[in-house]
Amino acid sequence: MASKLFLILTKLFVFLLLSAIAKPSLGESPSKRPVTPGTVCNFTLYPSWCKTVLPYRTTNNVYDYGRFLVRQSLSQSYSFLNLVNKYLKRPSTLSKATKAALEDCQFLTGLNIEYLVSSLETVNRSNQTLPAMKADDTHSMLSATLTNHQTCWDGLQAAASSGTVKNDLSIPLLNDTKLFSVSLAIYTKGWVPEEEVGITTQPGRKLLGLAKKHSRLTKAAYGAVKGRKLVEIGNNVLVRDMVTVSQDGSGNFTTINDAIAAAPNNSAASEGYFVIYAKAGVYEEYVSIAKKKKYLMMIGDGISQTIITGNRSVEDGWTTFNSATFAVTAPGFVAVNITFRNTAGAIKHQAVALRNGADLSAFYSCSFEGYQDTLYTHSLRQFYRECDIYGTVDFIFGNAAVVFQNCNIYPRLPMTNQFNAITAQGRSDPNQNTGISIHNCTIRASDDLASSEGSIQTFLGRPWKQYSWTVYLQSYIDSLVDTSGWKEWNGDFALSTLYYAEYDNKGPGSNTTNRVTWSGFQVINDTDAANATVSNFILGDNWLPSTGVPYFGGLI
C-alpha cells in the first residue's frame, strides 16, 4: 500500500511539474495584460482569501493565475482524498452513517480529480477565450467540482452534527470550496467568451444568437416509443453493438447489471452507442453506471412496461446520494421508454429514484416515480423530453444544467403537515453554469392529490442553495400551484441571490399577480427567456442530434 501511494504521489509531482512549465499557445486577449493578485481576486467571491493563495509579490495575467489555481485545486483534491481514505481504513471507529458519507466523499473526490486533470489540460493549452462548446465543457467540469464537494459536505453534516471526522474535515472542505470557487471565477474571466458570461443572477451565459427552432430526425429514432416494440434505431444514431435483457432467458442477459458489465469501457462518441434493450418486466435491481461505461443507450418497452425499482431511503440508513435506485455518471448516457421507481414511500423521506451526474445525457419518454427527492439531477449537462415525474417534497433537485421539455410533472399527496415543492435547485456559486429550465411542460396534480380532501400547498420551487436558479417557460400550470408560486427555504435565506423566473406560462396557476416579491424573482422577457432554452442553456445543438432524442432549440 505504501509503494502504491508513493507511485501516485510521484505521478502527481511529475504531472504538476510538467503543468507548471507547459507553454500554452499564444493568442490576443485583454486578459493577457499583467495584473496584481489583488486586482484578479476582485473577480471572485472571496477576494481577501484569494490574495492569500496566489503567489505573493508576483504580477501575472489572468491565464497564469487561472492555471496556478487549477493546479492547486488538483493538489488539494489529492490531499483531501488521502484524508478521507485515512478514516475509511479504520471502519470500526465510524458509525454506519459516517462511513456511508465518507464513501460518498471518496467517490465524489475521485470524480473531481478526473475533472480537474481534464480542466488543467485545457487551460494549459490556451492563452485566449475558447470556442463556445469547448469553453462550456470545462466550465461544466469546474462547476461540478464545487457541486461534488458540496454534496460531500452535505452528507457529512447529515451523518453527524458533531464528531472527530466532521471536525477534521470541515476546515479542508471549507478551504477547498473557496479554492474551487476562485478557480471557477478566474476561468470564466479568462477562457469563457464574454457573451456567455452572465451577471450573478444568470447561469453563466447570455443569448448566443437565434436558436434553432426544431431538430427533425431523418426517421423515427426509437420504435419502442409509447409502448411499441423495438423496431429500429434511426439513421442519425450510430450504434456499435446491441444486447437484449429479458427475465425469461430469451435475451443475452437476464439482468440489467450483467448487460452493463458487458459494455465496453471508455468508448468514444465516434464509435457509437452500446445499446441495451430491456424487455418488459419489473427489474428489482440497484444500478450504478460507472464513469468508464461511456455512451450507453438503454431502451425499454415503454413507461410502466420496463420498470427498474428499489426502496432505499435516508430513513433506512442510506445517504440521499446513495439512496438512488438507478445512478449514472457515465458521459453520453441515453435512456428511452423506462420507468425508474423508488417505492420507499413518503414516510421514508429522502428516497431517490434516479441520480444523474452524467454529462451530455438524455432521457426520452421515461417515468420517474417517488415522493421526496425523486429525481436527483446532480451535476453537468442533462436533457429530459416527454417524461413523467412524480413526487412531493423537492422532487426535482440538484445542481445540473438541465432542461425539461414537453414533460408532465405530477405533484403527489404528501404526508400530513407537508407541502409540495416541485424543485429545489442547488447552485451554490454565481459562476456555476447550472440551473433548472422547465419548458413547455405540464404541471398537474397526480390522481391521489387531485382526489384528496383538504388543501395541500404546492410550490414551483424553493432555494436549496444560495444562488438557486429555476425558470418556467411556456408551460401549463394548473390550479394546484399556490398563488405565491414559490416557497422560502429558511427565513430570508437566498431570497436576494436566487434567480427564479417565469415566462409566458398558461393555466389557472400561472397568474403572476400575487407571486412572491423577492428581489430574486422576476417575470422575464423574450431575450432572457431565450437564455434558458436548449440551444443556449445546455448548447444542445452541439450534442443532442447524435442521441436521436427530438427537441426544439428555442422558444415555441
Side-chain angles (χ1 to χ4, degrees), residues 101-131:
L102 284 170
E103 288 172 343
D104 287 351
C105 291
Q106 183 185 55
F107 174 78
L108 292 161
T109 306
L111 290 178
N112 279 355
I113 288 170
E114 291 187 47
Y115 298 155
L116 289 165
V117 166
S118 179
S119 298
L120 189 55
E121 289 173 354
T122 297
V123 299
N124 273 339
R125 290 173 182 159
S126 176
N127 242 20
Q128 57 190 353
T129 54
L130 297 168

Coordinates of all heavy atoms in Angstrom, one line a residue, residues 101-131:
A101 N -21.3 8.4 4.4 CA -21.0 9.7 4.0 C -19.5 9.8 3.4 O -19.3 10.5 2.4 CB -21.2 10.7 5.1
L102 N -18.6 9.2 4.1 CA -17.2 9.2 3.7 C -17.0 8.5 2.4 O -16.2 8.9 1.5 CB -16.3 8.6 4.8 CG -16.0 9.5 6.0 CD1 -15.3 8.7 7.1 CD2 -15.2 10.7 5.6
E103 N -17.7 7.4 2.2 CA -17.7 6.7 0.9 C -18.2 7.5 -0.2 O -17.6 7.5 -1.4 CB -18.4 5.4 1.0 CG -17.7 4.3 1.9 CD -18.6 3.1 2.1 OE1 -19.8 3.1 1.9 OE2 -18.0 2.1 2.6
D104 N -19.2 8.3 0.0 CA -19.7 9.3 -1.0 C -18.6 10.3 -1.3 O -18.3 10.6 -2.5 CB -20.9 10.0 -0.5 CG -22.2 9.2 -0.5 OD1 -22.1 8.0 -1.1 OD2 -23.2 9.6 0.0
C105 N -17.9 10.8 -0.2 CA -16.9 11.8 -0.4 C -15.7 11.2 -1.2 O -15.1 11.9 -2.1 CB -16.3 12.3 0.9 SG -17.5 13.3 1.9
Q106 N -15.4 9.9 -1.0 CA -14.3 9.3 -1.7 C -14.7 9.2 -3.2 O -13.8 9.5 -4.0 CB -14.1 7.9 -1.1 CG -13.0 7.0 -1.7 CD -13.0 5.6 -1.2 OE1 -14.0 4.9 -1.2 NE2 -11.9 5.2 -0.6
F107 N -15.9 8.8 -3.5 CA -16.3 8.7 -4.9 C -16.3 10.0 -5.6 O -15.8 10.2 -6.7 CB -17.7 8.1 -4.9 CG -18.4 8.0 -6.3 CD1 -18.0 7.1 -7.2 CD2 -19.3 9.0 -6.6 CE1 -18.6 7.0 -8.4 CE2 -19.9 8.9 -7.8 CZ -19.6 8.0 -8.8
L108 N -16.9 11.0 -4.9 CA -17.0 12.4 -5.5 C -15.7 13.0 -5.7 O -15.4 13.7 -6.7 CB -17.9 13.2 -4.6 CG -19.4 12.8 -4.6 CD1 -20.1 13.4 -3.4 CD2 -20.1 13.2 -5.9
T109 N -14.7 12.8 -4.7 CA -13.4 13.4 -4.9 C -12.7 12.8 -6.0 O -11.9 13.4 -6.7 CB -12.6 13.3 -3.5 OG1 -13.4 13.9 -2.5 CG2 -11.3 14.1 -3.6
G110 N -12.9 11.5 -6.2 CA -12.3 10.8 -7.3 C -12.7 11.4 -8.7 O -11.9 11.6 -9.6
L111 N -14.0 11.7 -8.7 CA -14.5 12.4 -9.9 C -13.9 13.8 -10.1 O -13.5 14.2 -11.2 CB -16.1 12.6 -9.8 CG -16.9 11.3 -10.0 CD1 -18.4 11.7 -9.8 CD2 -16.7 10.6 -11.3
N112 N -13.8 14.5 -9.0 CA -13.1 15.8 -9.0 C -11.7 15.8 -9.6 O -11.3 16.7 -10.4 CB -13.1 16.5 -7.7 CG -14.5 17.1 -7.3 OD1 -15.4 17.1 -8.1 ND2 -14.6 17.6 -6.1
I113 N -11.0 14.8 -9.2 CA -9.6 14.7 -9.7 C -9.6 14.5 -11.2 O -8.8 15.1 -11.9 CB -8.9 13.5 -9.0 CG1 -8.6 13.9 -7.5 CG2 -7.6 13.1 -9.7 CD1 -8.1 12.8 -6.7
E114 N -10.5 13.7 -11.7 CA -10.6 13.5 -13.2 C -11.0 14.8 -13.8 O -10.4 15.2 -14.9 CB -11.7 12.4 -13.5 CG -11.3 11.0 -13.1 CD -12.3 10.0 -13.6 OE1 -12.7 10.1 -14.8 OE2 -12.7 9.1 -12.8
Y115 N -12.0 15.5 -13.3 CA -12.4 16.8 -13.9 C -11.3 17.8 -13.9 O -11.2 18.6 -14.9 CB -13.7 17.3 -13.2 CG -14.9 16.4 -13.2 CD1 -15.9 16.5 -12.2 CD2 -15.1 15.5 -14.2 CE1 -17.0 15.7 -12.3 CE2 -16.2 14.7 -14.3 CZ -17.1 14.8 -13.3 OH -18.2 14.0 -13.3
L116 N -10.6 17.9 -12.8 CA -9.5 18.9 -12.7 C -8.3 18.5 -13.6 O -7.7 19.4 -14.1 CB -9.1 19.0 -11.2 CG -10.1 19.7 -10.3 CD1 -9.8 19.5 -8.9 CD2 -10.2 21.2 -10.6
V117 N -8.0 17.3 -13.8 CA -7.0 16.9 -14.7 C -7.3 17.3 -16.1 O -6.5 17.9 -16.8 CB -6.7 15.3 -14.6 CG1 -5.9 14.9 -15.8 CG2 -6.0 15.0 -13.3
S118 N -8.6 17.0 -16.5 CA -9.0 17.5 -17.8 C -9.0 19.0 -18.0 O -8.6 19.5 -19.0 CB -10.4 16.9 -18.1 OG -10.9 17.3 -19.3
S119 N -9.5 19.7 -16.9 CA -9.5 21.1 -17.0 C -8.1 21.7 -17.1 O -7.9 22.7 -17.8 CB -10.2 21.7 -15.7 OG -11.6 21.2 -15.6
L120 N -7.2 21.1 -16.4 CA -5.8 21.6 -16.4 C -5.2 21.4 -17.8 O -4.5 22.3 -18.3 CB -5.0 20.9 -15.4 CG -3.6 21.5 -15.2 CD1 -3.6 22.9 -14.8 CD2 -2.9 20.7 -14.0
E121 N -5.5 20.3 -18.5 CA -5.1 20.1 -19.8 C -5.6 21.2 -20.7 O -4.9 21.7 -21.6 CB -5.5 18.7 -20.3 CG -4.8 17.6 -19.7 CD -5.4 16.2 -20.1 OE1 -6.4 16.2 -20.8 OE2 -4.8 15.2 -19.7
T122 N -6.8 21.6 -20.6 CA -7.4 22.6 -21.4 C -6.8 24.0 -21.2 O -6.4 24.7 -22.1 CB -9.0 22.7 -21.1 OG1 -9.6 21.5 -21.5 CG2 -9.6 23.8 -21.9
V123 N -6.7 24.4 -19.9 CA -6.1 25.8 -19.7 C -4.7 25.8 -20.0 O -4.2 26.9 -20.3 CB -6.4 26.2 -18.2 CG1 -7.9 26.3 -18.0 CG2 -5.8 25.3 -17.2
N124 N -4.0 24.7 -19.9 CA -2.5 24.8 -20.2 C -2.3 25.0 -21.7 O -1.2 25.4 -22.1 CB -1.8 23.5 -19.8 CG -1.4 23.5 -18.4 OD1 -1.2 24.6 -17.8 ND2 -1.2 22.3 -17.8
R125 N -3.3 24.7 -22.5 CA -3.1 24.7 -24.0 C -3.5 26.1 -24.6 O -3.3 26.3 -25.8 CB -3.9 23.6 -24.7 CG -3.4 22.2 -24.4 CD -4.4 21.2 -25.0 NE -3.9 19.8 -24.7 CZ -4.7 18.8 -24.7 NH1 -6.0 18.9 -24.9 NH2 -4.2 17.6 -24.5
S126 N -4.1 26.9 -23.8 CA -4.7 28.1 -24.4 C -4.5 29.4 -23.5 O -4.6 29.3 -22.3 CB -6.2 28.0 -24.6 OG -6.8 29.1 -25.1
N127 N -4.1 30.5 -24.2 CA -4.0 31.8 -23.6 C -5.0 32.7 -24.2 O -4.8 33.9 -24.3 CB -2.6 32.3 -23.9 CG -1.8 32.5 -22.6 OD1 -2.2 31.9 -21.5 ND2 -0.8 33.4 -22.6
Q128 N -6.2 32.2 -24.5 CA -7.3 33.0 -25.0 C -8.6 32.4 -24.8 O -8.7 31.3 -24.3 CB -7.1 33.2 -26.5 CG -7.0 31.9 -27.3 CD -6.6 32.0 -28.7 OE1 -6.4 33.2 -29.2 NE2 -6.3 30.9 -29.4
T129 N -9.7 33.2 -25.0 CA -11.0 32.6 -24.9 C -11.2 31.4 -25.8 O -10.6 31.4 -26.9 CB -12.1 33.7 -25.2 OG1 -11.9 34.3 -26.4 CG2 -12.0 34.8 -24.1
L130 N -12.0 30.5 -25.4 CA -12.2 29.2 -26.1 C -13.5 29.3 -26.9 O -14.4 30.0 -26.6 CB -12.3 28.1 -25.1 CG -11.0 27.8 -24.3 CD1 -11.3 26.9 -23.2 CD2 -9.9 27.3 -25.2
P131 N -13.6 28.4 -28.0 CA -14.9 28.3 -28.7 C -16.0 27.9 -27.7 O -15.7 27.2 -26.6 CB -14.6 27.1 -29.7 CG -13.1 27.1 -29.8 CD -12.5 27.6 -28.5

